[in-house]
């Protein structure tokens, strides 16, 4: 699989007819219309040949690594198909001279003809409170779900369906239920199980029960229950009470012990969904709770614990962790977060931002000998989460990035004849953490530029990494006074699709005759750092 953040829009090959998607009319800004493709991005069981189309007089340029095409990118030869024989990201833009269209990303997930035992979608943090904000978004989201799994065996909604903060908004669950039921019917997912866990913004358990069909939340009173998805064991726990709920803990441990006591089950995954992440697992322990849950799952390497709550993005490889069991972060359907303590580039300059208006979910395929977990963006379009100065996590469709993949598929294998052998064969462990540092590949990655508003900015040509560049340590120093006019950890915008090739970091207005020295280090999610790039600029 090619490295760098993937851009994969996944659909079922069985439901797609090979009709060319023609480019739309030229936008009002005079830029070319975006290209179309002859074969949609999708999940295919063999190699596909893709032709790109654009309006007459334009040139299509493309990338295969999730980056944004420029007028220097590879030129597509009209009529000559691109053969896609492995998981590949295809991002294309049409150019009229140097003026390019909006980029469009397609992706191709190439599988074999082997059929999975079960197909599940795992989402969380829906945070929807009205038809006005939810109807169009979830039509788009369910279209994406249907394009990957036309008939998923189950959809798990892992807590925080609504925005209750102890303020009596429990009735909003009925609104979410109406939105979901309408889309399940629209997509023909009549046999799909929908299974909900309780989150900290979900009002009371009574409100949850009142809001949804009984089969969506079949608890016996404590907010936890057991399900079966095509023979795959699934447990839904209530992380709002787990640590102090001895009955729930005893139930979960007893059921796991009984299942794994059968020798035929030792190498089969057992899925557990719970809203809050468990300590000592994903994303370096950020926003975790319920240490007794980590303790209780430690005896069961077959357990795959799926959690939400944090909104932390699933682009980051720290979103999966294995020690005594497997833990996986499932992202968020409303907005995603990154670690706190970083700044983002906005229209008004650098800002202390840790949110982005993107939405993500997991698509899980359970096979006889492995479990494959794909990470999918429902929307990874670039928007500032402050729209017109007001915080908003509800950008409406259409989304140019629907269905793009936010990273390579994780593959879990439970290999071994004993629990300890299974643990010894875990792949996503602390010992296996990535140690490859990013690197700048351009001859001069830093450049001083003048923005459209006449201000000075430091343009950083993005570094590359075998996984992703998380942020840049940026220092800009006044060479006369020694004062640092910029000292920031600037996010690389890896959570958008496609990823921008350059970042323009604003520099405060300089006095005449002032010279600056810039120093920039690229850093990945594990703290691996590149050699510094430097530049002196100014008068």
């Amino acid at each position: 699989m090619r490295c760098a953040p993937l851009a994969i829009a996944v659909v079922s090959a069985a439901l797609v007819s090979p009709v060319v998607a023609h480019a739309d009319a030229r936008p009002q800004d005079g830029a070319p219309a975006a290209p179309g493709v002859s074969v949609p991005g999708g999940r295919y069981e063999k190699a596909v040949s893709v032709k790109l189309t654009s309006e007459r007089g334009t040139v299509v340029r493309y990338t295969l690594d999730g980056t944004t095409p420029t007028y220097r990118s590879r030129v597509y030869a009209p009529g000559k198909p691109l053969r896609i024989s492995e998981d590949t990201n295809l991002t294309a833009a049409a150019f009229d001279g140097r003026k390019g269209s909006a980029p469009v990303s397609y992706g191709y997930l190439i599988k074999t003809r082997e059929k999975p035992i079960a197909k599940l979608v795992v989402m969380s943090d829906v945070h929807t409170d009205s038809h006005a904000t939810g109807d169009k978004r979830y039509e788009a989201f369910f279209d994406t779900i249907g394009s990957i799994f036309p008939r998923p065996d189950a959809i798990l909604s892992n807590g925080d369906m609504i925005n209750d903060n102890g303020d009596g908004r429990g009735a909003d669950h009925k609104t979410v239920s109406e939105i979901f039921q309408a889309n399940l019917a629209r997509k023909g997912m009549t046999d799909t199980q929908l299974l909900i866990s309780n989150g900290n913004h979900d009002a009371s358990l009574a409100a949850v029960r009142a809001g949804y069909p009984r089969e969506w939340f079949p608890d016996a009173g404590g907010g936890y229950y057991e399900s079966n998805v095509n023979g795959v064991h699934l447990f839904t726990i209530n992380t709002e009470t787990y640590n102090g709920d001895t009955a729930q803990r005893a139930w979960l441990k007893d059921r796991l012990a009984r299942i794994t006591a059968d020798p035929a089950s030792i190498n089969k995954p057992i899925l557990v969904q719970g809203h809050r992440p468990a300590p000592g697992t994903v994303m370096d322990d950020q926003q975790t709770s319920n240490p007794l849950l980590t303790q209780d799952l430690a005896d069961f390497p077959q357990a795959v614990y799926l959690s939400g709550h944090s909104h932390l993005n699933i682009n980051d490889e720290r979103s999966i962790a294995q020690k005594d069991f497997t833990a996986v972060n499932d992202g968020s359907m409303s907005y995603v977060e990154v670690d706190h303590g970083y700044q983002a580039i906005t229209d008004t300059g650098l800002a202390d931002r840790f949110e982005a208006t993107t939405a993500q979910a997991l698509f899980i395929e359970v096979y006889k000998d492995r479990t494959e977990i794909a990470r999918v963006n429902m929307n990874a379009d670039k928007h500032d989460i402050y729209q017109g100065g007001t915080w908003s996590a509800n950008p409406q469709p259409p989304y140019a990035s629907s269905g793009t993949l936010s990273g390579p598929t994780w593959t879990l294998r439970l290999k071994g004849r004993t629990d300890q052998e299974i643990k010894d064969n875990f792949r996503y462990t602390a010992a296996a953490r990535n140690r490859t540092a990013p690197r700048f590949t351009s001859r001069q990655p830093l450049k001083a530029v003048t923005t459209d508003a006449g201000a000075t900015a430091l343009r950083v040509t993005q570094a590359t990494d075998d996984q992703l560049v998380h942020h840049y340590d940026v220092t800009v120093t006044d060479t006369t006074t020694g004062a640092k006019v910029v000292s920031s950890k600037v996010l690389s915008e890896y959570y958008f699709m496609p990823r921008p090739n350059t970042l323009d970091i604003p520099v405060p207005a300089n006095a005449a005759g002032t010279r600056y020295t810039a120093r920039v280090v690229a850093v990945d999610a594990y703290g691996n750092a590149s050699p510094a790039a430097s530049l002196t600029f100014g008068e």
Side-chain angles (χ1 to χ4, degrees):
M1 177 177 290
R2 293 179 172 87
C3 295
L6 299 180
I8 296 184
V10 186
V11 296
S12 170
L15 298 183
V16 174
S17 58
V19 176
V20 174
H22 293 285
D24 295 328
R26 181 165 289 211
Q28 291 182 348
D29 64 1
V37 291
S38 61
V39 180
R43 181 189 187 280
Y44 294 91
E45 296 178 353
K46 62 179 181 179
V48 295
S49 295
V50 180
K51 293 181 181 180
L52 298 172
T53 61
S54 67
E55 61 181 291
R56 183 172 298 176
T58 62
V59 174
V60 176
R61 296 179 182 269
Y62 68 95
T63 66
L64 297 171
D65 60 0
T67 57
T68 303
T70 71
Y71 68 90
R72 291 192 179 97
S73 298
R74 278 179 283 191
V75 174
Y76 171 71
K80 184 177 180 180
L82 300 173
R83 188 173 188 273
I84 308 296
S85 60
E86 60 181 354
D87 293 1
T88 301
N89 308 303
L90 172 60
T91 303
F95 284 83
D96 185 350
R98 292 194 175 189
K99 191 160 193 173
S101 70
V104 288
S105 295
Y106 306 93
Y108 302 88
L109 186 64
I110 307 302
K111 297 275 191 176
T112 68
R113 295 187 181 276
E114 181 183 6
K115 304 302 181 186
I117 296 168
K119 305 183 296 295
L120 305 93
V121 181
V122 185
M123 63 174 72
S124 70
D125 299 274
V126 167
H127 288 296
T128 293
D129 56 11
S130 70
H131 286 282
T133 59
D135 282 356
K136 290 184 179 179
R137 279 171 61 84
Y138 276 87
E139 282 186 11
F141 292 167
F142 269 84
D143 285 345
T144 297
I145 292 172
S147 72
I148 300 168
F149 293 158
R151 302 291 184 270
D153 297 302
I155 296 175
L156 314 185
S157 191
N158 201 2
D160 281 6
M161 299 285 281
I162 65 169
N163 294 310
D164 186 271
N165 293 287
D167 50 0
R169 299 188 64 88
D172 288 347
H173 282 295
K174 293 184 178 180
T175 300
V176 178
S177 179
E178 291 167 357
I179 293 171
F180 276 50
Q181 288 187 74
N183 282 288
L184 288 168
R186 182 175 64 89
K187 302 302 295 184
M189 298 177 183
T190 54
D191 295 326
T192 297
Q193 297 184 66
L194 205 152
L195 304 168
I196 296 172
S197 76
N198 181 46
N200 55 299
H201 290 289
D202 277 328
S204 65
L205 292 178
V208 176
R209 295 186 199 106
Y212 304 100
R214 174 63 181 166
E215 60 269 22
W216 292 14
F217 191 67
D219 76 318
Y224 55 92
Y225 57 91
E226 181 177 352
S227 307
N228 185 294
V229 181
N230 279 11
V232 177
H233 292 284
L234 169 67
F235 293 89
T236 298
I237 63 171
N238 183 1
T239 58
E240 303 313 295
T241 62
Y242 189 88
N243 233 42
D245 188 343
T246 55
Q248 181 178 183
R249 292 185 60 209
W251 163 80
L252 180 63
K253 289 187 292 183
D254 176 70
R255 290 297 300 129
L256 293 177
R258 288 175 180 270
I259 293 168
T260 56
D262 181 355
S265 297
I266 192 170
N267 302 115
K268 294 181 179 180
I270 302 171
L271 305 182
V272 182
Q273 73 160 335
H275 182 60
R276 297 177 187 254
T281 61
V282 294
M283 293 301 292
D284 290 341
D285 218 25
Q286 297 178 66
Q287 301 189 43
T288 61
S289 58
N290 295 304
L292 294 181
L293 176 59
T294 301
Q295 176 182 311
D296 292 345
L297 293 178
D299 293 331
F300 306 102
Q302 299 82 6
V304 180
Y305 180 59
L306 307 161
S307 64
H309 178 66
S310 68
H311 292 237
L312 289 165
N313 66 87
I314 56 178
N315 310 68
D316 196 317
E317 296 299 325
R318 294 175 296 165
S319 285
I320 186 169
Q322 292 181 310
K323 184 181 177 182
D324 295 316
F325 58 95
T326 301
V328 184
N329 168 32
D330 63 36
S332 164
M333 292 291 283
S334 52
Y335 64 91
V336 303
E337 296 186 10
V338 298
D339 321 57
H340 294 206
Y342 300 90
Q343 291 192 305
I345 299 170
T346 74
D347 291 341
T348 56
L350 288 175
D352 295 328
R353 300 279 169 81
F354 54 87
E355 314 106 329
T357 58
T358 61
Q360 302 175 317
L362 302 176
F363 286 70
I364 299 179
E365 297 180 59
V366 180
Y367 293 88
K368 290 181 179 180
D369 64 344
R370 69 197 183 281
T371 300
E372 297 182 357
I373 304 176
R375 299 173 267 173
V376 177
N377 293 317
M378 299 293 176
N379 161 35
D381 290 9
K382 184 175 181 178
H383 292 100
D384 188 350
I385 203 161
Y386 285 86
Q387 300 291 321
T390 301
W391 193 91
S392 171
N394 289 300
Q396 294 295 303
Y399 306 121
S401 55
S402 293
T404 58
L405 211 69
S406 53
T409 294
W410 293 314
T411 300
L412 310 179
R413 296 183 186 274
L414 301 174
K415 297 192 299 183
R417 293 173 293 179
T418 67
D419 287 350
Q420 189 58 52
E421 285 183 2
I422 292 172
K423 294 179 184 181
D424 290 342
N425 285 315
F426 277 166
R427 174 182 179 185
Y428 304 100
T429 63
R433 286 171 74 101
N434 182 280
R435 302 187 188 282
T436 302
R439 61 191 182 97
F440 290 105
T441 57
S442 58
R443 182 174 299 176
Q444 177 49 272
L446 307 183
K447 180 181 179 181
V449 298
T450 301
T451 67
D452 292 340
T456 298
L458 177 67
R459 176 165 293 172
V460 179
T461 299
Q462 296 235 41
T464 61
D465 188 66
D466 62 326
Q467 293 181 348
L468 60 81
V469 176
H470 183 273
H471 69 277
Y472 295 90
D473 286 339
V474 180
T475 303
V476 179
T477 304
D478 184 320
T479 59
T480 302
T481 65
K484 293 181 179 179
V485 298
V486 177
S487 182
S488 176
K489 297 180 184 296
V490 181
L491 292 165
S492 71
E493 300 188 347
Y494 63 87
Y495 34 81
F496 294 131
M497 187 59 65
R499 176 175 62 85
N501 297 307
T502 60
L503 300 173
D504 286 353
I505 300 169
V507 177
N510 58 316
T514 301
R515 287 180 66 79
Y516 296 105
T517 297
R519 183 180 186 273
V520 178
V521 175
V523 186
D524 70 11
Y526 296 98
N528 301 308
S530 74
S534 60
L535 175 72
T536 298
F537 63 97
E539 298 179 3

